[in-house]
Amino acid sequence: MSLRTITKLAASVALIALTSGAAKAADNVEVLHWWTSGGEAAALEVLKKDLESKGVTWSDMPVAGGGGEAAMTALRARVTAGNPPTAVQALGFDITDWAKQGVVGDLGEVANAEGWDKVIPTALQNFSKYDGKWIAAPVNVHSTNWVWISKKALDAAGGAEPQNWDEFVAMLDKMKANGITPLAHGGQPWQDATLFDAVVLSLGTDFYKASMIDNDPAALSGDKMKEAFSRMEKLRSYVDDNFSGRDWNLASAMVIEGKAGAQMMGDWAKGEFLKAGQKPGTDFVCIRFPGTQGAVTFNSDQFMMFKVGEDKQKAQLLMASAIEDPKFQSAFNVVKGSVPARTDVPNTDFDDCGKKGMADLAEANEKGTLFGSMAHGHAVPASIKNAMYDVITRHFNGDLSTDEAPAELAAAVAAAK
Ligand code: GAL
């Protein structure tokens, strides 16, 4: 065989390797996210498997830290270095902030072909689109105003699901008298703020809108806000001494293991109960935070796609299309604890908490009592959210009194605007 033929052969072998390498790279997505708890990882597995079945491989970039603060910091470093990941889990106003910087891609090709406009609620589209373009694919709707109660602890406390603030306090008192930590909580600003969202909402939907969304100074500094902080102070008396810094899923584990009676948390907490093999109605009970029935504070996890080289765009579009597939939306959310972003997915495969979540969302959307969660970046931009976090956590940790807190909150918000 002549040398010429050998070199020609070697060249074509290299070429095949390159192209197949390139083809493989084109169908690979590198995804930055903060889904590292047991329940979150189980849901992510559904997405990874689904993409694999469509020929898209997954390069994982997990950044631990519930609520996503650390993930957003890691993302900033990647974007600044000019090396954004293919896709990123992102929330609400953070998506809009990135879009304003001109670094996000356009999913219009898939979104328009698949008619997303007809099946994704406006409340989500407000963040999935920028300048009329689809820039993110919403995978779910989480709602945050839930309480997850150990069935055993509830039965020992009389068995009645609390319907209002006074009944909630009475239940927590009974749990305390029964020698169990009444409220499992993780002392981190985003968790304190998630609790605060529900407490504010329990004082009225108009009040939530005026204070958390419109940031009306009178609502932020008035008597009702003082009542909100006084309720936070009351709830502080039901958490254990080791709450500071605890991750949210470890607080869920306290309820799962019977070490605590209840946890106030978004429905991602349900993913932990399911991962532990527990069943709604049998092992645990899901209720709306007492006083917030009929209203919902939501956040939606969306996969935002960055401007990447042509070789990666095909994988982005495949991923976006996979995420909005109705079957996938059901399979993923059944495990994650959230409900589908699409409005046309049947609730057949969802458990009773999931079915309730879907019904509550539709009802609140109908009635105008569906609000973006402040704590999860769907009510105000990050600068104002973080200013609120600071005041809420200083108060919850006892560094600020209930008398001082409302004025502090109004001042912090004004300074952040
Ligand atoms: C939220 C996110 C949820 C869940 C939670 C805890 O911000 O939307 O999907 O992961 O954080 O990490």
Side-chain angles (χ1 to χ4, degrees), residues 279-302:
K279 296 207 169 14
T282 311
D283 307 299
F284 69 95
V285 166
C286 56
I287 63 167
R288 289 292 176 188
F289 188 88
T292 71
Q293 298 91 320
V296 168
T297 39
F298 82 93
N299 75 304
S300 168
D301 292 295
Q302 309 213 24

Side-chain angles (χ1 to χ4, degrees), residues 119-360:
V119 291
I120 303 292
T122 314
L124 269 59
Q125 287 194 34
N126 291 340
F127 301 109
S128 317
K129 298 173 88 171
Y130 186 73
D131 256 357
K133 289 203 183 79
W134 284 93
I135 56 169
V139 68
N140 64 7
V141 181
H142 269 299
S143 54
T144 65
N145 55 317
W146 292 97
V147 181
W148 310 90
I149 313 176
S150 145
K151 185 77 167 67
K152 196 159 157 260
L154 180 64
D155 291 346
E161 294 173 10
Q163 299 302 316
N164 55 46
W165 174 253
D166 294 340
E167 290 177 11
F168 190 41
V169 167
M171 179 194 83
L172 296 169
D173 280 336
K174 285 193 192 121
M175 289 177 172
K176 198 176 219 174
N178 292 343
I180 189 174
T181 296
L183 195 64
H185 184 70
Q188 296 169 343
W190 75 272
Q191 295 190 60
D192 301 338
T194 304
L195 185 59
F196 187 74
D197 260 353
V199 166
V200 170
L201 188 65
S202 73
L203 289 163
T205 52
D206 293 348
F207 176 58
Y208 185 89
K209 184 170 180 314
S211 58
M212 295 297 106
I213 295 175
D214 303 338
N215 305 148
D216 167 28
L220 289 169
S221 60
D223 292 346
K224 252 191 176 170
M225 191 54 80
K226 185 169 169 195
E227 174 57 19
F229 280 110
S230 130
R231 288 187 176 189
M232 288 294 280
E233 190 177 342
K234 183 71 178 166
L235 291 173
R236 173 73 173 74
S237 72
Y238 296 116
V239 307
D240 65 309
D241 296 340
N242 304 318
F243 80 101
S244 188
R246 178 186 290 131
D247 283 333
W248 68 273
N249 50 315
L250 301 181
S252 307
M254 290 170 70
V255 180
I256 291 166
E257 294 157 11
K259 295 185 184 122
Q263 179 190 24
M264 185 281 147
M265 189 42 73
D267 46 15
W268 45 88
K270 191 187 78 177
E272 302 306 301
F273 287 84
L274 299 183
K275 186 81 174 63
Q278 298 204 339
K279 296 207 169 14
T282 311
D283 307 299
F284 69 95
V285 166
C286 56
I287 63 167
R288 289 292 176 188
F289 188 88
T292 71
Q293 298 91 320
V296 168
T297 39
F298 82 93
N299 75 304
S300 168
D301 292 295
Q302 309 213 24
F303 281 98
M304 179 171 61
M305 309 286 179
F306 276 78
K307 278 189 182 139
V308 291
E310 230 175 270
D311 60 328
K312 291 199 173 161
Q313 280 167 17
K314 180 173 151 238
Q316 280 184 330
L317 296 176
L318 282 171
M319 180 175 177
S321 173
I323 286 169
E324 295 316 331
D325 177 88
K327 284 204 185 61
F328 168 77
Q329 287 257 322
S330 182
F332 174 87
N333 286 296
V334 160
V335 178
K336 182 72 170 71
S338 38
V339 303
R342 293 179 67 116
T343 53
D344 60 347
V345 176
N347 69 359
T348 336
D349 297 339
F350 287 80
D351 60 30
D352 291 349
C353 296
K355 286 188 169 78
K356 175 176 169 46
M358 289 170 85
D360 289 354

